[in-house]
Amino acid sequence: MAIAALAIFAAMMLLDGAVRRHIQLGRTGDSGNRRTWRPDGSLEWWALTVTDLGWLLIGVGAPIADLAGLPPLVVLDQPVVRGLGVAIAVLGLLCGFGAQMSLGDSWRIGVDQTEHTGLVTTGAYRVVRNPIFAAFLVAFLGLALMVPNPVALAGIVITVIGIQVQVRLVEEPYLRRVHGAAYTDYASRVGRFLPRDRPPTARPSAPELTMWHAPATRHPENRWDTARFVSGQPLHTTPRTTRSQGGDPR
């Protein structure tokens, strides 16, 4: 299983890295890479470096440790768990590539603070705001289940920390500054890594009162009277008092 994990990791780096860059270069003449490999001490550099460390621990370190004889975590050392890991890793790999393609010409690696790209809210971005990172987390979770040893577990923790810093402290402030209210509205409707339930439909604060008049009715005394209904409760007019010529009430 360790060899299979190494193969899937290599395929992931090839498909979601080299192939996607080649597609972007062919479409736009620009590889889309805005990341600097030179250490500059920026928050983004540290966030992506930490993320890379986590990925390498999961995709390379854990399989090699497994081949070297590092025992797996007993609770996860089950054939079913390892098989499930294969399916999850492949699913995450394919979903990650699909999410990258959803960005179209706006696809980038890293953030150029001076660049203004379009805000993409279609395709995978209708479901979550960060589908690429979400899919990669799924893929690396699958790889960790394939070789469930302490190295893989540490890699998962480090990867999550790096991605959270990159998204929350680097990318989201940039998007809010560039797109303003459009991104704020988008973020209020779509979850960061997980789908968000739609907000409930607004209901009126108080029930509306409906008023209508019932048809006029003929009384035995040959006088007309009308029953008025407010909110379904009848309110009858007070009967008139008629006196005889002698003054006695009839």
Side-chain angles (χ1 to χ4, degrees), residues 20 24 27-28 99-108 120:
R20 185 61 183 91
Q24 187 76 3
R27 282 180 172 179
T28 66
Q100 288 181 332
M101 297 303 296
S102 292
L103 276 176
D105 294 346
S106 296
W107 179 75
R108 296 290 186 272
V120 178

Side-chain angles (χ1 to χ4, degrees), residues 10-11 18 24 49 52 55 57 66 81 88 91 96 111 122 128 145 157 176 188 208 221 228-229 239 241 248-249:
Q24 187 76 3
T49 299
D52 288 344
W55 290 3
L57 284 175
D66 184 80
V81 173
I88 293 175
L91 176 64
V111 176
T122 58
V128 292
L145 293 177
V157 173
R176 288 193 179 93
S188 69
E208 297 182 357
E221 295 83 356
R228 178 177 299 174
F229 293 79
T241 301
D248 294 332

Side-chain angles (χ1 to χ4, degrees), residues 44-235:
E44 180 182 24
W45 186 87
W46 280 109
L48 293 179
T49 299
V50 168
T51 302
D52 288 344
L53 175 61
W55 290 3
L56 289 172
L57 284 175
I58 301 169
V60 178
I64 291 178
D66 184 80
L67 293 173
L70 180 66
L73 300 174
V74 177
V75 68
L76 297 176
D77 188 19
Q78 304 292 333
V80 174
V81 173
R82 292 176 184 261
L84 181 62
V86 174
I88 293 175
V90 173
L91 176 64
L93 185 158
L94 296 177
C95 288
F97 183 73
Q100 288 181 332
M101 297 303 296
S102 292
L103 276 176
D105 294 346
S106 296
W107 179 75
R108 296 290 186 272
I109 298 176
V111 176
D112 182 352
Q113 297 292 337
T114 65
E115 191 173 24
H116 190 301
T117 58
L119 178 62
V120 178
T121 60
T122 58
Y125 288 81
R126 295 181 60 185
V127 182
V128 292
R129 303 200 306 271
N130 299 278
I132 297 175
F133 279 134
F136 285 175
L137 286 173
V138 170
F140 284 112
L141 175 62
L143 290 174
L145 293 177
M146 292 173 66
V147 282
N149 55 40
V151 176
L153 180 61
I156 286 290
V157 173
I158 293 173
T159 298
V160 170
I161 292 174
I163 289 177
Q164 290 283 357
V165 172
Q166 174 68 12
V167 168
R168 293 174 181 267
L169 302 182
V170 178
E171 295 187 0
E172 288 186 355
Y174 162 78
L175 291 169
R176 288 193 179 93
R177 178 174 59 81
V178 171
H179 299 288
Y183 181 77
T184 301
D185 176 68
Y186 171 60
S188 69
R189 294 181 288 104
V190 181
R192 182 178 283 113
F193 297 108
L194 297 174
R196 178 180 296 168
D197 293 336
R198 294 182 178 180
T201 303
R203 297 181 178 180
S205 57
E208 297 182 357
L209 297 180
T210 304
M211 182 179 295
W212 72 95
H213 296 280
T217 58
R218 187 78 173 180
H219 282 261
E221 295 83 356
N222 294 327
R223 290 186 300 272
W224 291 93
D225 197 2
T226 303
R228 178 177 299 174
F229 293 79
V230 179
S231 298
Q233 297 298 324
L235 298 177

Side-chain angles (χ1 to χ4, degrees), residues 2-13:
I3 299 298
L6 287 169
I8 293 176
F9 178 75
M12 183 176 178
M13 295 299 101

